[in-house]
Structures are given as C-alpha cells and as structure tokens.
C-alpha cells in the first residue's frame, strides 16, 4: 500500500478519483436498489426514507446495516481497489461526505434535486448520478420544479 511519503502524482490521483466515482456509483446503485425490495425496504431502508424532503443530516440517518454496507463500504471501496495515494484517498473521502450532504441538502448542488425526486417517488435515482441510473432506466430528472 502506498505511504504518505510516496511520490504524489496529480495525473494518477485524478485517474484514481475518476475510478472512485464509477466504483461508488456501481456499489451504491446496487445496494440502494436492493434495499428498495419489499422486506429489505421495510426492515432496513424505510428508516432513511422518513425524510420526504431530505436535509443534509438525513444522509447519515440510516439503519446501521445500510450505513455500513451501502454507504461506508461504498466510499472506502474505491481507494481500496485503486490502491491510491493516501492523499487521494483522504480527498475522496472528504469529497464523498460533502457530496452526500449536498445531495440531501435540498439545494441545487451535487444532484440534490434528483435525489429529492428519489425521496418523493421511491422508484428512481438510486445511484450517485454518474451512469447507473441512465444505464438501467431509473433516471428521473427535475425540470421547472417538477419531476419528469
């Protein structure tokens, strides 16, 4: 594993960051979609959906199983799989937390409007807005304050 004292290459760091964005979208979409299945939704994920209009603190309001497997593991999976420099990993984890808070903020930042649609309709926008929702046809966008 790379050490903090190892050479830091910005181009490689950027490549690792991009890889992390794809990894988290695949992981989060898959676990999140799975948690919307009947019994798992009722037993685990429904707690998070108590927020119909999410706010930033709602991003971590989840059952411990969901939080650790879907959220924490999803964030650390990218740096683990890319074997990135510790600075890249720290930046990725900081960015992920800020992006998750932003997506639950209700403001037009980090896809908050799209995630608001997920909390309203429950059948769309399962991923992190990179490519999985588009690939599987579960993408729902906001236009003029209305989802379509």
């Amino acid at each position: 594993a790379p050490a903090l004292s190892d050479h830091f290459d910005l181009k490689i760091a950027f490549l690792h960051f991009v890889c992390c964005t794809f990894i988290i979208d695949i992981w989060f979409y898959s676990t999140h979609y799975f948690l919307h299945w009947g019994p798992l939704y009722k037993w685990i994920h429904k707690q998070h959906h108590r927020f119909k209009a999410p706010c930033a603190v709602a991003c971590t309001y989840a059952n411990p199983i969901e939080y650790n497997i879907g959220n924490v593991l999803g964030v650390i999976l990218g740096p683990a799989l890319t074997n990135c420099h510790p600075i890249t990993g720290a930046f990725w984890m900081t960015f992920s937390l800020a992006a998750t808070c932003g997506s639950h903020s209700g403001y037009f930042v980090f896809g908050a409007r799209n995630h608001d649609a997920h909390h309203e309709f429950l059948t769309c926008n399962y991923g992190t807005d990179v490519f999985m929702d588009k690939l599987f046809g579960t993408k729902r966008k906001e236009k003029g304050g209305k989802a379509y």
Side-chain angles (χ1 to χ4, degrees):
L4 191 56
S5 60
D6 289 350
H7 172 71
F8 178 79
D9 185 325
L10 191 57
K11 291 177 189 171
I12 300 290
F14 179 75
L15 178 62
H16 285 156
F17 184 86
V18 169
C19 288
C20 287
T21 63
F22 280 90
I23 291 166
I24 189 68
D25 195 42
I26 293 166
W27 183 263
F28 188 73
Y29 181 94
S30 301
T31 59
H32 193 192
Y33 185 86
F34 188 59
L35 286 173
H36 274 264
W37 173 68
L40 291 180
Y41 181 82
K42 182 181 177 184
W43 298 330
I44 298 172
H45 193 54
K46 188 175 183 178
Q47 176 179 343
H48 177 72
H49 277 279
R50 288 182 183 165
F51 286 90
K52 299 297 180 205
C55 57
V57 295
C59 72
T60 58
Y61 184 69
N63 178 291
I65 295 168
E66 173 183 1
Y67 181 75
N68 287 299
I69 294 173
N71 299 357
V72 174
L73 185 57
V75 171
I76 63 173
L77 202 53
L81 292 176
T82 62
N83 198 30
C84 66
H85 193 280
I87 293 173
T88 307
F91 179 77
W92 167 251
M93 289 180 202
T94 303
F95 174 83
S96 295
L97 183 58
T100 302
C101 289
S103 73
H104 285 82
S105 70
Y107 295 109
F108 188 74
V109 62
F110 296 114
R113 286 208 170 132
N114 290 332
H115 196 71
D116 282 354
H118 171 75
H119 276 259
E120 183 178 350
F121 301 106
L122 303 178
T123 58
C124 61
N125 300 349
Y126 298 103
T128 61
D129 213 18
V130 177
F131 77 99
M132 291 291 283
D133 279 301
K134 293 174 194 128
L135 181 67
F136 288 101
T138 52
K139 179 76 177 161
R140 186 177 187 133
K141 296 181 181 179
E142 284 279 330
K143 185 176 183 178
K146 294 186 178 183
Y148 68 95

